[in-house]
Amino acid sequence: MVVTQLELELCYQGQKLRGFTCKLTRSAHGFLPESSCLIATQVLLPYLVAGLGMVAAGIVMDVVQHWEVFKVITEIFILVPALVGLKGNLEMTLASRLSTAANTGQMDDPDKQWIMVCSNLALIQVQATVVGFLAAVAAVVLGAFSRGGVELDQVAVLCASSVTTAFVAALSLGLVMIGVIIGSRKVGINPDNVATPIAASLGDLITLSLLAGVSSTLFEYRDTWYLSPLVCLFFLILIPVWVVIARRSAQIREVLRSGWQPVIVAMSISSVGGLILDRTVSDPNFEGMAVFTPVINGVGGNLVAIQASRISTFLHFWSVPGVLPYKMRQHWPNPCVTFFSSGVNSKSARVLFLLVVPGHLAFLSAISLLQGGHTAITVAFTCCYLTAALLQVGILLYVADLIVRFMWRRGLDPDNFSIPYLTALGDLLGTGFLALCFHLVSMMAGLGL
């Protein structure tokens, strides 16, 4: 399929046409060309801003881990990846869905735009409330297995903190995402390149700050036994209201019906990563891990969400669900196809992978400058950390190519189904590789290396 784009600019003086400029862009590959330099330029600034937001979240995590509520109710550490991962389950999915709609012209009509915005906001409020509650239940179950039991008043504080954090974070980030996507569309920037990094830049910091503040407040008033259950019940009662609003859009009605599996499975995967964090954060050999966890998890989830969103937009633009376009005809491509072919998606995968090392070096420098954590950022630690980050992102970008193709072949919208799985896998891989990194550094220190 050959695509031709014509840009025409008319120059008027008063009411008289005085001249015009014409620019013709022709692509024989079925997609308007986007150079590696252009992709990197559009992604770089949001990516760095997102990373600094994650550094700030890591500093917050490093501080609040010593608060009384985190020492008494250690299951909150299990909640952290699950709630922070909601930006992948909800906000990044929202950003991907609306970016695709904007790029394919579905949001050009103001009336359709309003319905789409309201329905999507209502949808993420329903999902945030339900997943926040289920994340707390998962944390209680995993915590009970880990340390033999959890007290009832602590369960109430955990559930209320989780639901409140999920609801408020989803609403605030959802509003920001909608503004970013509409604004970037108006100024001619591809929303796929900027929306998900901005969600990431704010998501971790807002979620961790809310979780720390809400849980600390509710823990302080835990003797008022009815307060935490009442807070939790209030947000659960609002669910039918959000469902009614969300059902105004036919597309969102389908997501309400069939879109629960990915967010719930993703929450479960992230909770396993939270269990690793809970078991390691108090170990002297892993001291300082809390400050690096949001950074490595956030960067991985950020980059893979950009790639998944771009592939999804490509598929929506040039094919129909159930049928892969000719350029992506392989059902199960090998890593060479993902990273080294001539296609636009392979080009973006290379750009995103190459951003890992310089980005993480900048973020490690920021952590060192802000004196976050309790681990000296030595050459050995830096090498192990960068290796872990490269492995994480490489695996995620390849899995993104596989899972988006698989979802599309099954007739499922990758915007709704792929990103939750990918960001949850990023949390699990990031936390696991980071724990292994600290273990290796500890072993090398013990051997005097």
Side-chain angles (χ1 to χ4, degrees):
M1 180 187 295
V2 177
V3 179
T4 303
Q5 176 178 316
L6 175 65
E7 296 180 18
L8 185 63
E9 182 180 349
L10 303 177
C11 302
Y12 285 90
Q13 184 176 7
Q15 294 184 348
K16 293 183 179 181
L17 179 64
R18 295 299 186 186
F20 68 91
T21 57
C22 180
K23 180 182 178 182
L24 191 67
T25 306
R26 188 175 185 273
S27 173
H29 304 292
F31 203 74
L32 290 172
E34 213 175 358
S35 68
S36 298
C37 184
L38 178 62
I39 295 171
T41 302
Q42 291 191 0
V43 169
L44 185 60
L45 181 60
Y47 167 66
L48 291 175
V49 171
L52 292 176
M54 294 162 199
V55 169
I59 300 296
V60 169
M61 184 76 174
D62 188 46
V63 172
V64 301
Q65 67 173 321
H66 303 294
W67 289 9
E68 185 182 3
V69 63
F70 281 80
K71 290 181 177 180
V72 175
I73 311 177
T74 60
E75 288 76 16
I76 294 180
F77 287 111
I78 302 176
L79 272 182
V80 169
L83 289 183
V84 168
L86 276 178
K87 77 175 187 300
N89 298 345
L90 305 181
E91 279 74 31
M92 286 185 177
T93 303
L94 169 70
S96 179
R97 192 162 52 234
L98 291 182
S99 294
T100 298
N103 282 328
T104 54
Q106 297 176 41
M107 294 182 67
D108 293 344
D109 186 316
D111 293 333
K112 290 182 179 179
Q113 183 183 98
W114 177 250
I115 291 174
M116 187 168 289
V117 164
C118 291
S119 298
N120 274 281
L121 271 179
L123 170 67
I124 64 170
Q125 294 314 116
V126 175
Q127 292 179 324
T129 305
V130 173
V131 174
F133 181 75
L134 292 178
V137 172
V140 169
V141 172
L142 291 172
F145 278 116
S146 178
R147 60 177 184 146
V150 184
E151 295 179 15
L152 196 59
D153 61 335
Q154 294 181 6
V155 172
V157 170
L158 205 63
C159 289
S161 301
S162 180
V163 172
T164 305
T165 300
F167 182 93
V168 177
L171 180 60
S172 55
L173 288 170
L175 289 170
V176 171
M177 280 304 89
I178 289 166
V180 167
I181 290 165
I182 294 174
S184 60
R185 175 71 172 170
K186 287 184 177 180
V187 299
I189 297 174
N190 186 350
D192 284 324
N193 291 337
V194 298
T196 50
I198 291 174
S201 68
L202 298 172
D204 291 2
L205 183 59
I206 289 175
T207 303
L208 279 173
S209 301
L210 278 170
L211 179 61
V214 172
S215 61
S216 182
T217 302
L218 291 175
F219 182 74
E220 186 178 345
Y221 292 97
R222 64 190 181 279
D223 292 335
T224 308
W225 64 269
Y226 57 83
L227 179 61
S228 292
L230 195 63
V231 169
C232 190
L233 185 63
F234 169 75
F235 288 110
L236 293 174
I237 287 173
L238 288 177
I239 289 177
V241 178
W242 304 124
V243 170
V244 170
I245 297 172
R247 288 179 62 84
R248 293 174 62 194
S249 166
Q251 180 189 10
I252 301 305
R253 277 201 299 272
E254 176 62 24
V255 179
L256 271 174
R257 187 183 65 83
S258 61
W260 289 100
Q261 180 184 341
V263 294
I264 292 173
V265 172
M267 178 272 298
S268 304
I269 296 171
S270 294
S271 295
V272 176
L275 184 60
I276 296 173
L277 181 63
D278 182 36
R279 298 297 295 271
T280 56
V281 76
S282 57
D283 189 324
N285 291 326
F286 296 88
E287 190 175 13
M289 183 171 162
V291 75
F292 298 102
T293 302
V295 179
I296 194 169
N297 290 353
V299 168
N302 182 0
L303 295 176
V304 77
I306 294 173
Q307 181 69 355
S309 182
R310 290 178 60 88
I311 299 173
S312 179
T313 296
F314 182 92
L315 291 170
H316 277 92
F317 210 88
W318 297 114
S319 187
V320 293
V323 180
L324 289 172
Y326 180 76
K327 283 284 184 180
M328 297 178 65
R329 61 190 180 277
Q330 289 181 276
H331 288 187
W332 304 104
N334 60 53
C336 290
V337 173
T338 300
F339 291 100
F340 302 111
S341 66
S342 60
V344 66
N345 295 320
S346 180
K347 188 185 298 180
S348 62
R350 292 194 295 271
V351 170
L352 296 173
F353 186 76
L354 291 173
L355 287 175
V356 173
V357 170
H360 272 295
L361 286 175
F363 307 145
L364 288 175
S365 300
I367 291 172
S368 178
L369 186 64
L370 296 170
Q371 297 181 337
H374 309 280
T375 300
I377 302 178
T378 60
V379 173
F381 175 81
T382 302
C383 290
C384 290
Y385 179 86
L386 292 177
T387 302
L390 285 169
L391 278 172
Q392 178 208 31
V393 173
I395 292 170
L396 287 175
L397 291 174
Y398 178 58
V399 172
D401 199 13
L402 297 179
I403 200 170
V404 171
R405 291 174 192 241
F406 176 72
M407 296 292 180
W408 191 259
R409 291 202 323 270
R410 291 186 58 192
L412 301 173
D413 188 348
D415 285 329
N416 297 325
F417 288 88
S418 64
I419 292 180
Y421 291 124
L422 292 168
T423 53
L425 179 61
D427 289 344
L428 182 58
L429 289 175
T431 307
F433 285 156
L434 187 61
L436 184 60
C437 170
F438 270 80
H439 182 64
L440 288 174
V441 171
S442 177
M443 284 178 59
M444 286 189 286
L447 294 171
L449 299 177

